[in-house]
Amino acid sequence: FTFSLRSSHMFSSRLQCSVHSAGAVLRWMASRITVPQHQIETHFARSSGPGGQNVNKVNTKAELRFHVDDAGWLPYDVKARLKELQQNAINKGGELIVTSMKTRSQSQNLRDAFEKLQAIVDEAATPPKERIPTEVPEYEVRQRRQDKQHASTKKKSRSSGGGFDF
């Protein structure tokens, strides 16, 4: 038995899952942060790359900007992870900048830029897994020491022996 879920935002995504994982999917959908498109600054510029005269005449490159600290739709912990993960994409003013110039169409580039931004927010919204420290087994420690001793004796046997012995 499978069912489909459709989200109501501009770029609808379709999920299919079994009854056993339905609870996990519903929890995921409830916890997912949707980027409010009306709160994101959009700019268009001339794109680089192939396209002939189209490149020189039409502003097809899409650029999205928003100030991370002023984004009320992001929880504090997500903002902190977003700043950490995207530190190279955030300018000195604290704005996250996402661009797309994948296609020759302004609307497709805008859609692609919003998809990139949503993926970035989803990545930041996922809390990192806590590392469980493990101990190295004693037999591996012994094996490592034996390997090091073997390498040491091999190197000693290569020496000519003509050096000074103190």
Side-chain angles (χ1 to χ4, degrees):
F1 172 76
T2 61
F3 69 98
S4 298
L5 295 173
R6 231 183 230 279
S7 58
S8 62
H9 64 290
M10 184 175 159
F11 309 111
S12 63
S13 60
R14 196 166 191 185
L15 301 170
Q16 290 198 349
C17 60
S18 66
V19 172
H20 300 294
S21 63
V25 169
L26 292 175
R27 280 192 302 276
W28 175 80
M29 295 227 9
S31 67
R32 184 170 186 213
I33 300 168
T34 304
V35 176
Q37 295 177 12
H38 63 279
Q39 293 184 6
I40 307 296
E41 261 184 67
T42 57
H43 299 281
F44 298 98
R46 298 223 167 100
S47 186
S48 63
Q53 288 182 347
N54 191 57
V55 172
N56 301 327
K57 295 192 298 185
V58 183
N59 293 330
T60 57
K61 175 182 173 182
E63 182 179 272
L64 306 178
R65 291 173 173 255
F66 75 95
H67 198 274
V68 177
D69 289 328
D70 294 342
W73 49 274
L74 282 175
Y76 179 76
D77 59 329
V78 175
K79 286 180 192 179
R81 271 195 300 277
L82 188 65
K83 286 185 200 176
E84 183 182 327
L85 293 171
Q86 297 296 321
Q87 59 188 351
N88 294 334
I90 296 175
N91 64 14
K92 289 181 182 177
E95 287 181 317
L96 176 67
I97 302 169
V98 179
T99 61
S100 176
M101 51 185 167
K102 197 182 210 179
T103 68
R104 292 171 58 178
S105 166
Q106 194 179 70
S107 62
Q108 287 176 348
N109 283 338
L110 183 62
R111 183 178 304 122
D112 183 53
F114 271 111
E115 287 172 0
K116 282 182 183 181
L117 180 58
Q118 184 66 57
I120 289 169
V121 169
D122 288 345
E123 182 185 4
T126 306
K129 289 185 179 178
E130 211 172 298
R131 184 185 174 276
I132 302 171
T134 57
E135 290 187 23
V136 179
E138 186 62 36
Y139 67 89
E140 286 199 15
V141 172
R142 275 196 306 273
Q143 183 65 43
R144 188 178 125 267
R145 286 185 182 149
Q146 286 175 356
D147 291 345
K148 286 174 75 168
Q149 184 63 43
H150 178 70
S152 173
T153 54
K154 190 189 324 181
K155 288 180 180 182
K156 282 181 184 175
S157 70
R158 290 181 192 151
S159 68
S160 63
F164 297 104
D165 196 28
F166 295 104

